Amino acid sequence: MAVNASFSPTADANALHSVVQMDTTGILSTFLNVLNGFSGWTIALTLILGLIAYDQLMYIWNKGSIVGPLFKIPFIGPFLESVNPNFNTYHAKWLSGPLSCVSVFHKFVIIASTRDMARKVFNSPNFVKPCVVDAAYKLLRPDNWVFLDGKAHVDYRKGLNGLFTRQALDQYLPGQEAVYNEYFQKFVHKSQVENKGEPVQFMGEFRELMCALSCRTFVGHYCSEAAIKKIADDYYLITAALELVNFPIILPFTKSWYGKKSADMVLDEFTKCAAKSKVRMAAGGKKDCILDFWVCSMMESEAYRKKVASGIEVPASEKPTPLIRNFSDFEISMTLFTFLFASQDATSSAATWLFQIMADRPEFLDKVREENIAARNGDIHAPLSLDQIESLPWTRAVVKETLRYRPPVIMVPYVAKKAFPLTDTYTAPKGSMVIPTTYLALHDPEAYPNPDSFEPERWISGDADKQVKNWLVFGTGTHYCLGQVYAQANLMLMIGKASMMLDWKHKITDQSEVIKVFATIFPMDDCYLTFTDRPSPA
């Protein structure tokens, strides 16, 4: 029921007069008279100053004893300097203390820098949950599975684990090899035909390669070449919209607006792929991508439920594990989009650094090439299984060391579901962002001697594999990366095949080793390379 459903200026004036009459102390009358003596500008300025004071006081209160600026720029905080994030600024922040803070717009942000502090955040699902950034809820959709918490998240994840088993990953390899074969020839054409052998920036090419690889692995050939190219081109806009610090409201022609349009396009395309897979799998088609395997799991679960419902006695051995429900085409699309979201920028970053580092350190590339040719008995096009790929010591070592030396994901945002006691003397307020960084753990000199040097030998003759607490490349805890084996194996497959099929040179600039932060990290100059075909071994 509406209490004040109608408005009457006369009635309201009479009511105010009555209230003033009842104000026996005269306080209300005095207050109204004082307000009447102020101009509108004076009142507005007073309110603004009051809000600024409140903003500062809340920041100081939330900051407590941890490291951070003494005061903040009113309301926006360091937003303007964060529009173009600087790695050195981040690094200095991490080194300033185990916990430090900033406040941007309405978000109070706590950075957990040390290995142990980062692990505490990763391993505290009762206190925190992944939050990405404000725009992520709008782009990925608020009911996406990645935003689930507790048992709901665990149960959903169980239904996806089967898509990333070693047996499943083995079956995706032929399609991935085909993508690498295709794009390596594109790299040579771009270098030798389009650019006459002159080095050009290849970061964008690696982004397209990894997008094509992900799409083929996730949705197979249900997605056309044109659609994959469109997704690869536009995914840059999605990444920009999901930067850690961005304008919190989606306004036309802003990064968030362009990102939302691109996300809608990807979701629509993946929804169509899901519908096609359901038809093809129902007709007995061969499974050749993650989507097919997932749809078949749904069909098997549904068939089991129907048998049980009809009274048929079904042996326990025939019960699908896990038993999953039927997901709508759009629900499937949202999940596949999160796979792309998790893989695209991270693998693009790793691929870019890997090609640059191998060009600059040919002694390691030679070792990778030699062992890959030997593993294939001289036939560079012979396929390898997952076990064979992972058994190549130098290939594995250069990939592991690249991920340690230049970790793609340097920060993972969480939100405090409730007051979170991070230390004996500091508690993160409910609703604050708590962001563990992986970088310092992966550059800890106690775990990895000479941490700022690229030394793949540490994974062969050293004890790098024993530093499991520091290996935070893929996170840890209940939200660790589902595709960590998939990602590492793919990078090993990629650099192994490239070493046999291609020669490449890197044009070193004064920006080559400067780190650019764009969701993940890249060389500031976007990696100048030139590729040529490599003669087949005799």
Side-chain angles (χ1 to χ4, degrees):
M1 181 177 69
V3 176
N4 290 319
S6 61
F7 170 75
S8 166
T10 305
D12 281 9
N14 291 335
L16 179 59
H17 179 72
S18 299
V19 171
V20 173
Q21 291 292 321
M22 290 187 290
D23 180 24
T24 55
T25 64
I27 294 174
L28 183 57
S29 300
T30 302
F31 178 70
L32 291 173
N33 286 333
V34 170
L35 281 181
N36 192 46
F38 285 117
S39 68
W41 285 109
T42 304
I43 295 172
L45 179 61
T46 302
L47 287 173
I48 291 171
L49 291 174
L51 289 172
I52 290 174
Y54 175 77
D55 188 48
Q56 292 289 351
L57 289 171
M58 285 304 298
Y59 166 71
I60 293 169
W61 175 265
N62 289 331
K63 175 181 176 297
S65 59
I66 64 176
V67 176
L70 207 56
F71 301 101
K72 62 170 288 192
I73 299 173
F75 308 125
I76 66 172
F79 170 71
L80 295 178
E81 66 183 66
S82 301
V83 171
N84 293 307
N86 183 290
F87 176 80
N88 290 332
T89 302
Y90 282 136
H91 194 245
K93 192 75 173 172
W94 302 332
L95 292 175
S96 67
L99 294 174
S100 57
C101 68
V102 294
S103 182
V104 184
F105 288 117
H106 61 293
K107 286 292 185 184
F108 182 71
V109 182
I110 301 160
I111 298 99
S113 302
T114 62
R115 180 199 71 182
D116 293 340
M117 198 59 70
R119 289 185 65 86
K120 181 167 187 175
V121 177
F122 281 129
N123 289 304
S124 298
N126 291 333
F127 288 99
V128 295
K129 64 178 181 179
C131 68
V132 199
V133 292
D134 287 344
Y137 294 96
K138 302 177 180 70
L139 271 63
L140 301 176
R141 300 299 191 272
D143 51 348
N144 199 303
W145 79 280
V146 294
F147 301 127
L148 295 176
D149 196 28
K151 186 176 184 301
H153 174 84
V154 172
D155 289 345
Y156 200 110
R157 191 182 179 100
K158 285 179 181 177
L160 302 176
N161 285 335
L163 306 177
F164 293 93
T165 63
R166 299 184 67 82
Q167 181 182 9
L169 295 180
D170 251 331
Q171 296 184 66
Y172 308 145
L173 288 174
Q176 292 160 357
E177 290 216 35
V179 172
Y180 285 131
N181 291 337
E182 175 188 350
Y183 272 83
F184 288 166
Q185 288 308 302
K186 288 184 178 181
F187 290 176
V188 173
H189 186 271
K190 181 179 180 68
S191 294
Q192 301 305 317
V193 178
E194 295 179 21
N195 294 283
K196 311 303 181 186
E198 292 297 316
V200 292
Q201 293 168 312
F202 257 85
M203 188 266 274
E205 303 302 318
F206 294 134
R207 288 181 66 87
E208 183 179 335
L209 163 63
M210 301 318 289
C211 185
L213 185 87
S214 294
C215 286
R216 284 288 176 242
T217 304
F218 301 156
V219 299
H221 289 275
Y222 299 118
C223 198
S224 68
E225 293 284 349
I228 288 176
K229 184 69 169 66
K230 175 68 172 169
I231 293 171
D233 289 344
D234 286 6
Y235 201 90
Y236 199 90
L237 301 173
I238 297 172
T239 302
L242 295 174
E243 288 175 328
L244 183 60
V245 177
N246 224 327
F247 199 73
I249 302 171
I250 295 183
L251 298 175
F253 310 112
T254 61
K255 289 181 181 180
S256 299
W257 184 78
Y258 285 113
K260 176 67 163 56
K261 291 187 63 164
S262 299
D264 290 346
M265 178 271 294
V266 176
L267 286 167
D268 181 61
E269 185 63 35
F270 284 178
T271 300
K272 295 174 184 175
C273 292
K276 294 174 186 175
S277 177
K278 286 180 177 179
V279 172
R280 183 166 168 268
M281 291 302 99
K286 181 183 176 183
K287 297 177 285 188
D288 66 359
C289 63
I290 282 177
L291 174 57
D292 287 342
F293 279 84
W294 197 20
V295 166
C296 283
S297 293
M298 295 177 207
M299 292 169 56
E300 291 165 3
S301 293
E302 181 63 15
Y304 172 82
R305 280 191 292 267
K306 286 182 177 179
K307 285 182 180 180
V308 172
S310 65
I312 298 175
E313 186 174 341
V314 185
S317 59
E318 292 186 18
K319 181 179 179 180
T321 305
L323 189 66
I324 62 175
R325 65 177 175 86
N326 281 328
F327 293 90
S328 71
D329 295 345
F330 189 70
E331 286 178 313
I332 293 171
S333 175
M334 286 195 295
T335 300
L336 295 174
F337 189 19
T338 64
F339 292 170
L340 184 62
F341 169 66
S343 67
Q344 173 61 14
D345 290 301
T347 55
S348 297
S349 168
T352 305
W353 287 110
L354 193 50
F355 273 99
Q356 175 171 307
I357 290 168
M358 289 296 94
D360 294 343
R361 297 164 176 82
E363 68 275 17
F364 297 127
L365 179 58
D366 287 343
K367 293 178 184 294
V368 169
R369 179 179 292 126
E370 180 182 341
E371 70 180 13
N372 272 270
I373 293 173
R376 294 169 172 83
N377 295 316
D379 179 3
I380 66 173
H381 298 294
L384 293 183
S385 68
L386 180 63
D387 286 342
Q388 289 174 308
I389 292 170
E390 291 182 333
S391 69
L392 301 173
W394 280 102
T395 307
R396 176 180 180 273
V398 299
V399 168
K400 296 277 282 189
E401 182 66 354
T402 299
L403 293 173
R404 184 207 65 81
Y405 177 64
R406 291 289 184 261
V409 179
I410 55 176
M411 293 179 287
V412 186
Y414 285 79
V415 65
K417 299 187 289 186
K418 55 186 176 180
F420 181 13
L422 285 164
T423 69
D424 293 338
T425 59
Y426 183 77
T427 297
K430 178 182 177 181
S432 59
M433 287 181 72
V434 186
I435 304 179
T437 178
T438 64
Y439 194 87
L440 291 192
L442 294 164
H443 287 75
D444 180 353
E446 292 188 12
Y448 308 107
N450 303 317
D452 294 322
S453 296
F454 183 86
E455 299 179 5
E457 310 96 293
R458 70 176 86 241
W459 300 96
I460 296 175
S461 57
D463 64 353
D465 273 316
K466 297 178 182 178
Q467 310 304 323
V468 291
K469 286 189 174 182
N470 287 72
W471 184 249
L472 296 179
V473 173
F474 298 96
T476 187
T478 57
H479 289 275
Y480 76 91
C481 178
L482 194 63
Q484 58 178 308
V485 175
Y486 159 77
Q488 292 176 95
N490 250 295
L491 292 169
M492 283 185 256
L493 175 64
M494 178 193 73
I495 201 63
K497 286 185 67 67
S499 71
M500 298 182 296
M501 298 173 63
L502 303 171
D503 283 318
W504 65 94
K505 295 181 180 180
H506 174 224
K507 177 186 173 182
I508 299 175
T509 74
D510 59 359
Q511 299 290 296
S512 294
E513 290 297 328
V514 178
I515 295 174
K516 173 172 65 176
V517 180
F518 183 64
T520 50
I521 62 173
F522 295 91
M524 186 64 75
D525 64 2
D526 288 347
C527 191
Y528 282 87
L529 296 171
T530 182
F531 287 87
T532 56
D533 280 317
R534 181 176 178 80
S536 297

